[in-house]
Each structure stands twice: as structure tokens, then as C-alpha cells.
Amino acid sequence: MFLKSVKARGFKSFARSVEFAFEPGITVVVGPNGSGKSNISDSVTWAMGEQSPTAVRGNSMQDVIFSGSDKLAPAGMAEVEILLDNSSGAMPIEFSEVLISRRLYRDGDGAYFINKSPCRLIDVTELLSDAGLGRNTHSIISQGKVDAILESKPSERRAYIEEAA
Amino acid sequence: MFLKSVKARGFKSFARSVEFAFEPGITVVVGPNGSGKSNISDSVTWAMGEQSPTAVRGNSMQDVIFSGSDKLAPAGMAEVEILLDNSSGAMPIEFSEVLISRRLYRDGDGAYFINKSPCRLIDVTELLSDAGLGRNTHSIISQGKVDAILESKPSERRAYIEEAA
Amino acid sequence: IENSFAATFAAVRDHFADVIATLFPGGEGRLTLTREEPPEVDEDGEILDEGEDSEPVAAAESPRVERRGIEISVKPPRKAVRSLSLLSGGERSLVAIAFLFAIFLARPAPFYILDEVEAALDDVNIDRLLAMLKRYQTRTQFIIITHQKRTMEVADTLYGVTMGPDGTSKVLSRKMKKDAQQEMADEDDLE
Amino acid sequence: IENSFAATFAAVRDHFADVIATLFPGGEGRLTLTREEPPEVDEDGEILDEGEDSEPVAAAESPRVERRGIEISVKPPRKAVRSLSLLSGGERSLVAIAFLFAIFLARPAPFYILDEVEAALDDVNIDRLLAMLKRYQTRTQFIIITHQKRTMEVADTLYGVTMGPDGTSKVLSRKMKKDAQQEMADEDDLE
Ligand SMILES: Nc1ncnc2c1ncn2[C@@H]1O[C@H](COP(=O)(O)OP(=O)(O)OP(=O)(O)O)[C@@H](O)[C@H]1O
Ligand SMILES: Nc1ncnc2c1ncn2[C@@H]1O[C@H](COP(=O)(O)OP(=O)(O)OP(=O)(O)O)[C@@H](O)[C@H]1O
Ligand SMILES: [Mg+2]
Ligand SMILES: [Mg+2]
């Protein structure tokens, strides 16, 4: 199982739709300061069901919606789609690929989809957890947060192991 | 006015006495991870009268005393001396150089000195403040703390300006 | 639930010792379960007993394992074990990376996204981290965001992102390994 | 006390705009004093009104200046002004550096110690920071701790520190500018 692609539209600095196709192995992402690299990582965290705005560096969740630039008007919606390869059958779903999508509108309405069918947040998080991608697997290390584990108390570190158990 | 030298003994990883002589202009300090570069910056912060252990990355202030290695026994005392050039007369003291020293013993006893004469902490902080080196001038930016100013609230940022005023 | 926690903890603990030995040649790392009673705290609420004096408890021994926390202690080569807060910036990154790799080795996730995790590392330690990524790249997928040239060199696929004249992010290019070497020389244009 | 705060604030404000223009060519930076009443807070106690909507108040106008805080707002080139939390890692470092330099320019301290302040910056922004350090090196003393080769190149004096076989720090060498170029090539031994 691996992350096959990420598509983002109206999400942070991705005003128009962009797609990243990933392969197994090592992919390296480079670019100048402020170009949008960490926004890719935020987009995956968000599509996986993240509920805390600070986890994607915002004050409110609407901060993830493209808010305009010198030349472009703000977007009305943010959407991210992550495609997971499931040929190994790790996720208990009979498809060889699983597309997880999330949308957020300016008015606060949000929606989740699995393979384009509307679902609830809990469906997304349960599916991911079966695949070893729960909230505490820490498979996404945000910028500047690598040593957060050292700052946490011993009882908080326990959650890392419990999630993996 | 500038920092002419820093001498540290029994302070953190400086078990034996080391001295850094500095010149005006730009001095760059390099070395592998864990070699003791940030400990130099901590030694200056400490000698200037720092009272919070966390500001020098410790849990208690005794953490600054060399606590031994595979080969060496722990030290009984930490001492740092910083020599400031005063040929411009910025500090209201009739010497052309000002030596500020601080000591801490294992039992918690501490001592401050100005030009080798014992003094109180308040004497050190007042002398430094006259020279534009108060606690809030932020003339020492610790590792990983460069954007701390952005995390602080507007009212806390005011202290930066007040100190400089 | 308890058995699976105890088993996972034991696996993570063993991997942690191995990974620390790889990242800190000559050093040692240990994960232990804290004692049962809540830790003493000082007036700021800081835990007083983080570190050496908590006696390691074999996970399987105690039925009350469920409320125990995890303590991390590391002895860098030639140095004494000290509180984690006294470690250097680079040492802290390495210890945190070792903990995360220990969990990965016990229970791999399908992919990992690492955003400038090597920013505090010197070249020698960047190379040690990269060697580890290469060793495990057949077991999981790594997506690494970086400014370090050394890290770019281990890429199978290299993506460039830039800010366009309209103030929005553009995906510049995507190179497979065989062209990546040539493009590396032009990387400075991206930066 | 009020006059000197107002005067210092005005000087820092002007310098901040200049430094931001240098570090973000085409961008704009502004320091403003917050409104008089305490800011609205949300349920976590986070200030709600950080950003655009606090009307800038000329420092000299209001006698009650003494309780006002300072808000920072930055517009990177081609982008809209957004909350500081949405800036990138490198952009945040630059804004923080700009604020500190603005204070330095208004009221210089005798020396500055900067510990890996450029860790999050790309090469272009490291060069902008170094250009600024070189411009002001006759006005104050800079002591810079770094792993970046580009930063080593601007040194008048270069110090090497290493960990000895006995687990304690040793000062390896101190090179004056004229030898530093040659030593640079050997720098990898230190790292
Ligand atoms: N809602 C939004 N709408 C438009 N742009 C946004 C939004 N949220 C964030 N941004 C922009 O995204 C940029 C930050 O991108 P990101 O953090 O991904 O940069 P980066 O490539 O990781 O840079 P660095 O190398 O400095 O870490 C900021 O300049 C910010 O203005
Ligand atoms: N009281 C002490 N006694 C002995 N050694 C200490 C003491 N306090 C800290 N140290 C040691 O100092 C080392 C950290 O040094 P420092 O933080 O200065 O490294 P650095 O050169 O800045 O490294 P980096 O490049 O990773 O930031 C640690 O390895 C720690 O063991
Ligand atoms: Mg980033
Ligand atoms: Mg350091």
C-alpha cells in the first residue's frame, strides 16, 4: 500500500487544481521558501480527517480555503483528494485503489467521500486506521515538529504505541 | 563596545577551562551536532544573570554544572566570565574593560563579580541595561527560537520596544 | 488490549535501541515504562523524575501496565546520560527520529511525510539518516520536503514547487531518478 | 516614559518596513499598535483580532498608548496579507529576523549571538540575510552559530568546536578571514 496521488484545489496556496503523482520509494519535494511545500503535507493531514485548525497552521478551519492573491479572488471551497493504492488489500474494501476526498465551503459546510461516495468522518478515520494510518501513527511529521515527541510527557508518548498496537 | 571574550569552566560540556576571544565584525562558530556550540550562547546568557533554568535548557539551574562523562567526574562548580570592551564608555564605569563573572556551586550557592569584585545580581543587570543589554533586547537568539516573537501576544511584544526605549 | 500493548512496546523498545546505535554509533538508547504512581511535579508542574531514576519495569511483569507512560533515555557516545532537555538541537532531532523509526519498524505505516526533519543536522548525521531511509525504502514510501542538497540526491522522484506570478503554488517538474542527477545542478534556480 | 516609548516605536516601525522590503523584495511589512480595549478571545483564549482589522493608530495621537500591544502584519510579494500562522517556516524566520533587526537599527545592542537562525531559509534568503549582516557589521558585533557553508563564507573569524574523546567540548581552531577561505574546503572534517 502507498500514497499514489494528492490532488488539491482551492486548498491554501493551490488556487487552481494541482496534482502530485507519487511512486513507492523516496520522493523528495524542493522549492523556495513560501512556495507551498508544507501546504502539500497539510493537505494530506486535512484530507485524512484532521479536526484541529492549528494542526494545519490556521486559526480557524476556513483558513485552509484559498483566500486570494494580488491577482486572484478568494476561492469558495477547498478540496483535497488522496488516492491510496490498495492492491495489497490492507484496507477492508474491495477496491484496488481508495480515493478519500474532503471538501470545505466558506460557510463552514464540509463533506467527506470514499471513492466518490459521500460518507462521514468516522468512515474515513476507521478505514485509515485499518491501514495503519491512525491519528497517532505520526506518519506525517510537520515542519519544526520533529522533536515534539521529546516535549510530550511520558503518558502522552504511550498513545504512540497504543495506536500502533 | 563589543564582547571581547568568554571563558567557561565546569559549565555544561566545558569541563576544563576554555576561552573564546572575539573580534568586532562577524564571528562564525561551526562544529558537529552536540559539540558545544549552543552551550557557548547559554554561557553568555547565564553570565548576564539569567534566572530561569529553561532559558539555558535545564530543569534546574544546577544542570549547567558539568555533570561528568565516561572519563571525567562531575565538576563541583560552574563559572563563566564575559569580558566587554568599554573603551567607548557606554557603561557607567571608569574601566576600559568590564569583566562580568558568575559562579554556581553544587549546593546551590551562587556568586556574581564585576571586575573580580563580588557584587549582587542587580548590579550586573543594571550595568548591562545601561549598555543596551537588558533582558529584552533579544541580543541572544537561542537555537530554534528565532520565531518566538511571532508566537508571543501583541502585549508581550511591547516589552521588546520598552526595553530598547 | 494489554497483551497487544505489551507486545508492541517490547518490539518498539528493541528497535529503538538498534536505531539509536545506528544514529549514535557508540551510544545507547532505552525506552522504559514509568512507575505506577503519578510523577512528582515541581511548582511549575514540570515532571521531576524524568530520566535515570525510574527503574525499568519489564512490560510483561506488571498487570497494571495500562497506565504507564514511556520514558526515553539516551546516552550519546562518550557522554553521560542526561535529561533530554540538555541534548543539542541535532541530538534531539536524532532521538525523535529514532523513536519514530522504532515505531515504524514495529508497525509500518503505508507512507511517511517528513517535512525538513533534518534541518538541525550536520552533514554526517544527515548521511546517517539518509542511509536509514534508503535501507527501508522498500518497506514503505517516504515523501521528504527539504532544502538540503544531500537529501535531494537520494530521491527516486524529485518534485519542484514554486510560487507563480499570480501568488499561487505551481508544480514545476517531476524528474525520475535517471534525470535527477542532471537537474540537481540546476536546482539553484528552484531555490 | 511615554514619549520615549512612542519615539522608539515609531523608529522601530519605520525600520521594520525597510527591513521587510529588503528581505521580501516586493513585499510590505507593518507594525501597528493594537486598540485600547483588551482583544476578544475565543474559547481557547486565542486572540481573535490578530491581523488586518485593527486600525493603525498613530503612536503620538493617543495618551493611553502605554497599554497597547504591537501587531505585526506582512504581505509577501504577490500574496495577500494573512495571519502570521499561515506563513511558511522560512517566511516566519524572515519576519522574526526583520523585527529584531528593526529594533537593532533603532537601538543597537553591543553584540548579537544568533544560533542557527537561518536553518529554515533557502539559499536565496540566506544570501539576503548575510548581505544585511555584512551591511551592519561595522555597527555591532555578530556571533553566528551555523551549519550552513554560505554563512561560514562571510566570517571575519571562524571558530571550530568539537567533542573530545573525553566527552567534553574542545575549541579546535580560530582562523582569521585570510585563512578562512582555505580552511573552508576542509570544513567537512569538522562536520
Ligand atoms: N488560505 C490560503 N490562501 C492562500 N495562500 C495561503 C493560504 N494559506 C497559506 N497560504 C500561503 O502559503 C504559503 C506557505 O506555504 P508553505 O508553508 O507550504 O511554504 P513552504 O514551501 O513550506 O516554505 P518553507 O520552505 O519556508 O517552509 C504562505 O506564503 C501563505 O501565504
Ligand atoms: N551539565 C552538563 N554537563 C556535561 N555535558 C552537558 C551538560 N549540559 C549539556 N551537556 C552536553 O552538551 C551537549 C550539547 O551541546 P550543544 O547544545 O551546545 O551542542 P551544539 O554544538 O549546539 O549542537 P547542534 O549542532 O546539534 O545544535 C549535549 O550533548 C549534552 O550532553
Ligand atoms: Mg515549509
Ligand atoms: Mg546547537
Side-chain angles (χ1 to χ4, degrees):
Chain A
M1 194 177 164
F2 66 97
L3 180 63
K4 273 185 107 156
S5 80
V6 176
K7 249 199 218 156
R9 182 160 58 100
F11 182 87
K12 288 202 167 191
S13 55
F14 305 113
R16 276 181 283 269
S17 180
V18 255
E19 179 169 2
F20 294 86
F22 295 118
E23 310 279 327
I26 297 179
T27 300
V28 173
V29 180
V30 297
N33 288 137
S35 56
K37 303 182 297 294
S38 298
N39 288 346
I40 303 168
S41 159
D42 287 347
S43 73
V44 177
T45 299
W46 186 73
M48 288 166 60
E50 180 58 60
Q51 296 299 300
S52 154
T54 47
V56 287
R57 297 179 289 159
N59 297 320
S60 78
M61 208 44 119
Q62 271 86 329
D63 280 345
V64 303
I65 305 173
F66 176 69
S67 63
S69 70
D70 275 0
K71 299 229 167 30
L72 293 174
M77 174 188 82
E79 180 180 48
V80 175
E81 298 184 328
I82 59 174
L83 185 66
L84 293 162
D85 170 83
N86 188 35
S87 46
S88 68
M91 283 197 282
I93 194 166
E94 65 290 348
F95 297 99
S96 65
E97 288 184 347
V98 178
L99 185 74
I100 293 174
S101 322
R102 181 176 180 180
R103 283 195 195 149
L104 180 69
Y105 297 88
R106 281 263 170 230
D107 62 5
D109 266 4
Y112 297 87
F113 303 84
I114 293 175
N115 286 345
K116 303 269 188 202
S117 321
C119 66
R120 298 163 304 159
L121 168 63
I122 182 106
D123 301 319
V124 169
T125 50
E126 275 180 359
L127 189 67
L128 291 171
S129 165
D130 289 336
L133 282 168
R135 271 185 59 60
N136 263 316
T137 53
H138 295 276
S139 56
I140 301 176
I141 312 289
S142 305
Q143 190 172 0
K145 297 272 184 283
V146 66
D147 62 359
I149 172 84
L150 303 190
E151 321 253 319
S152 50
K153 297 221 184 314
S155 51
E156 292 162 7
R157 290 178 197 145
R158 184 190 166 84
Y160 285 65
I161 310 276
E162 277 170 344
E163 177 77 44
Chain B
M1 192 178 164
F2 66 96
L3 179 64
K4 268 186 113 154
S5 80
V6 176
K7 245 197 218 157
R9 184 161 54 102
F11 182 87
K12 289 202 164 189
S13 56
F14 306 115
R16 276 180 284 269
S17 179
V18 278
E19 179 168 4
F20 294 86
F22 295 118
E23 311 278 327
I26 297 179
T27 300
V28 173
V29 179
V30 297
N33 288 137
S35 57
K37 300 182 299 296
S38 297
N39 288 346
I40 303 167
S41 158
D42 288 346
S43 73
V44 177
T45 299
W46 187 72
M48 287 167 60
E50 179 59 62
Q51 297 298 299
S52 154
T54 45
V56 287
R57 299 181 287 160
N59 296 320
S60 77
M61 209 41 118
Q62 271 86 328
D63 279 345
V64 304
I65 306 172
F66 176 67
S67 63
S69 71
D70 276 359
K71 300 227 169 26
L72 293 175
M77 173 188 84
E79 179 180 49
V80 175
E81 300 185 325
I82 60 173
L83 186 64
L84 293 162
D85 169 85
N86 188 35
S87 47
S88 69
M91 283 195 282
I93 196 166
E94 62 288 354
F95 297 100
S96 65
E97 288 184 348
V98 177
L99 184 75
I100 293 173
S101 322
R102 180 175 181 180
R103 281 193 197 151
L104 180 69
Y105 296 88
R106 279 264 170 228
D107 61 6
D109 268 2
Y112 298 87
F113 305 84
I114 292 176
N115 286 345
K116 304 269 187 201
S117 318
C119 67
R120 298 163 305 161
L121 168 62
I122 183 111
D123 301 322
V124 169
T125 49
E126 275 181 357
L127 188 67
L128 290 171
S129 166
D130 290 336
L133 282 168
R135 270 185 58 63
N136 264 315
T137 54
H138 297 275
S139 56
I140 300 175
I141 311 288
S142 305
Q143 189 172 0
K145 298 272 182 282
V146 67
D147 62 358
I149 171 81
L150 304 190
E151 320 253 322
S152 49
K153 296 217 186 314
S155 52
E156 292 162 9
R157 290 180 197 142
R158 183 189 168 84
Y160 285 66
I161 309 276
E162 279 168 342
E163 180 75 46
Chain C
I1 188 89
E2 231 11 81
N3 272 349
S4 99
F5 175 82
T8 306
F9 174 75
V12 173
R13 181 187 53 201
D14 295 346
H15 286 301
F16 182 71
D18 294 343
V19 177
I20 286 286
T22 306
L23 294 178
F24 290 87
E28 290 161 34
R30 218 174 53 176
L31 297 181
T32 54
L33 291 169
T34 54
R35 284 169 296 206
E36 201 41 38
E37 68 278 9
E40 295 154 59
V41 289
D42 65 14
E43 63 287 354
D44 304 331
E46 288 295 323
I47 295 189
L48 280 177
D49 70 356
E50 166 96 43
E52 259 308 62
D53 57 348
S54 75
E55 75 291 349
V57 178
E61 266 166 37
S62 149
R64 295 172 59 71
V65 157
E66 60 277 23
R67 278 205 305 287
R68 290 174 184 278
I70 295 168
E71 289 194 344
I72 300 174
S73 76
V74 173
K75 178 188 178 319
R78 302 186 300 279
K79 301 179 183 178
V81 175
R82 266 176 277 276
S83 147
L84 295 178
S85 70
L86 291 171
L87 291 176
S88 82
E91 289 172 335
R92 284 172 64 85
S93 293
L94 288 176
V95 172
I97 289 167
F99 187 81
L100 293 162
F101 265 88
I103 296 174
F104 153 66
L105 289 167
R107 301 282 184 273
F111 66 84
Y112 290 85
I113 300 178
L114 308 176
D115 194 348
E116 303 197 25
V117 294
E118 83 291 46
L121 300 185
D122 60 32
D123 289 346
V124 165
N125 283 320
I126 288 178
D127 288 344
R128 285 193 185 126
L129 169 63
L130 296 178
M132 216 160 69
L133 291 172
K134 281 191 284 194
R135 189 178 319 143
Y136 300 131
Q137 67 172 338
T138 52
R139 294 206 219 168
T140 188
Q141 177 188 37
F142 293 110
I143 297 168
I144 303 168
I145 297 167
T146 189
H147 290 294
Q148 305 290 335
K149 302 257 184 305
R150 287 173 122 83
T151 306
M152 295 176 198
E153 286 163 18
V154 303
D156 297 316
T157 309
L158 191 72
Y159 259 109
V161 183
T162 190
M163 196 40 80
D166 61 357
T168 69
S169 293
K170 304 247 169 303
V171 179
L172 249 180
S173 63
R174 181 182 154 213
K175 312 264 167 294
M176 301 314 287
K177 184 72 172 163
K178 52 189 179 305
D179 331 326
Q181 262 56 28
Q182 170 46 40
E183 287 301 321
M184 207 65 68
D186 311 336
E187 209 50 64
D188 287 336
D189 307 340
L190 276 187
E191 294 278 341
Chain D
I1 186 86
E2 231 12 83
N3 273 349
S4 97
F5 174 83
T8 306
F9 175 75
V12 173
R13 184 187 53 201
D14 294 346
H15 286 302
F16 182 72
D18 294 344
V19 176
I20 286 285
T22 306
L23 293 178
F24 289 87
E28 291 160 31
R30 215 174 52 178
L31 296 181
T32 53
L33 290 170
T34 54
R35 282 173 296 211
E36 197 40 34
E37 69 278 11
E40 293 154 63
V41 289
D42 65 18
E43 62 289 353
D44 304 330
E46 288 297 319
I47 294 188
L48 280 176
D49 67 358
E50 166 94 46
E52 260 307 65
D53 57 349
S54 73
E55 72 290 354
V57 177
E61 265 169 34
S62 151
R64 298 175 55 73
V65 159
E66 60 277 21
R67 280 207 303 286
R68 288 176 184 279
I70 295 169
E71 290 194 346
I72 300 173
S73 79
V74 174
K75 179 189 176 319
R78 303 184 301 278
K79 300 178 182 177
V81 174
R82 267 175 275 278
S83 144
L84 295 178
S85 70
L86 290 171
L87 290 177
S88 83
E91 289 172 332
R92 284 171 65 87
S93 292
L94 287 177
V95 172
I97 289 167
F99 187 83
L100 294 162
F101 265 88
I103 295 174
F104 153 67
L105 289 167
R107 301 283 184 271
F111 66 83
Y112 290 85
I113 300 178
L114 308 176
D115 194 346
E116 302 197 26
V117 293
E118 83 291 49
L121 300 185
D122 62 32
D123 288 346
V124 166
N125 283 320
I126 287 178
D127 287 345
R128 286 191 183 126
L129 168 63
L130 297 178
M132 216 160 68
L133 291 172
K134 279 191 284 191
R135 188 178 320 144
Y136 300 131
Q137 67 171 344
T138 53
R139 297 206 215 169
T140 189
Q141 177 188 36
F142 292 111
I143 296 167
I144 303 168
I145 297 167
T146 187
H147 290 294
Q148 305 288 336
K149 302 253 185 310
R150 288 173 122 81
T151 306
M152 295 176 198
E153 286 163 21
V154 302
D156 298 318
T157 309
L158 190 73
Y159 259 108
V161 182
T162 189
M163 194 42 81
D166 60 358
T168 70
S169 292
K170 304 247 170 304
V171 180
L172 251 181
S173 63
R174 183 186 153 202
K175 310 262 169 298
M176 299 314 286
K177 182 75 170 164
K178 53 191 178 304
D179 322 330
Q181 306 313 344
Q182 171 47 39
E183 289 301 322
M184 205 64 64
D186 313 336
E187 208 51 63
D188 287 335
D189 309 338
L190 276 186
E191 292 281 342

